[in-house]
Structure formats: structure tokens, C-alpha cells
Amino acid sequence: MKIITGTITIAEIKTMAAGLFGEMVKAVVDVERGKMAVDAELHSDLEELLLDGGSKQKNIWGINIYPEQAGDDFIEFDSMINLRPSQGNKSLGVVDKALRSKIIRIVTKKVKK
């Protein structure tokens, strides 16, 4: 597990994917602080890492990154940590389109292809 404070290359993401799930890497994004934690078996482990680093629960969302894919298939919005009825998110995805766009912008900025 690591928090990406600068950038990470797509090659590094591919190496992480090969070491755990094969084709994808779990990630958690703090949309307020622009931070991203990657490479764990569970989103909840990455969530805890960001929370320990000062992130707030309401600002962190789980995604999966598929380094061999492009476009809409590069990021999958699917995590148990996203299930938050109190914030209006009643699914494992991210319902709010503006929030999804913010997550995509942060990931695009962090992952260099």
C-alpha cells in the first residue's frame, strides 16, 4: 500500500496489478486533498491509510484501475466503501456525476501513461 503524493506511472500500476489481482489495482481517492492510495487487497485498507493521514471519510471514494484499458474502462467505480446512504450514495458505485468527474481528474493527474 502506498499514498501517491506525486505521480505514478502506468508501468508501476501494471506491476502492482500483476502482483495481486492480475488485471486491476484497487485505489482510494481523497477528492478534497487530491490524494490517492493504491495497491491493497481491500479498499478498506487504503481507506484506513488515508484516514490515518488526515483524510475525512466523506471525501474518500474507492475505485479500481485497469492499467491495460483506456477511456471509460480505465477506472471502475465499485467499492463497498462507497455505500453511503447518508451522503446520498446508495450503491457501490459513485452516483454523483460531478464527483465521478473529480475522481477521474485526480486519477488522470496522478497516473502518467
Side-chain angles (χ1 to χ4, degrees), residues 29-112:
V29 177
D30 180 333
V31 294
E32 198 60 35
R33 299 171 80 197
K35 290 188 170 189
M36 180 173 78
V38 295
D39 196 24
E41 189 172 335
L42 301 171
H43 286 111
S44 59
D45 293 334
L46 299 167
E47 175 184 43
E48 185 177 339
L49 184 65
L50 285 176
L51 290 171
D52 287 347
S55 293
K56 294 182 180 173
Q57 180 72 55
K58 66 179 185 179
N59 297 327
I60 55 178
W61 299 89
I63 60 171
N64 299 315
I65 298 172
Y66 290 84
E68 299 289 345
Q69 302 297 318
D72 291 344
D73 295 329
F74 183 67
I75 298 173
E76 176 185 43
F77 297 90
D78 184 30
S79 173
M80 287 295 293
I81 70 168
N82 296 340
L83 190 57
R84 295 184 211 158
S86 65
Q87 286 183 246
N89 202 78
K90 298 178 182 176
S91 80
L92 302 181
V94 177
V95 175
D96 185 308
K97 289 182 181 178
L99 184 56
R100 280 200 315 262
S101 292
K102 194 169 188 178
I103 292 168
I104 290 169
R105 281 194 303 273
I106 291 169
V107 172
T108 301
K109 187 176 176 183
K110 295 281 182 196
V111 179
K112 298 298 176 193

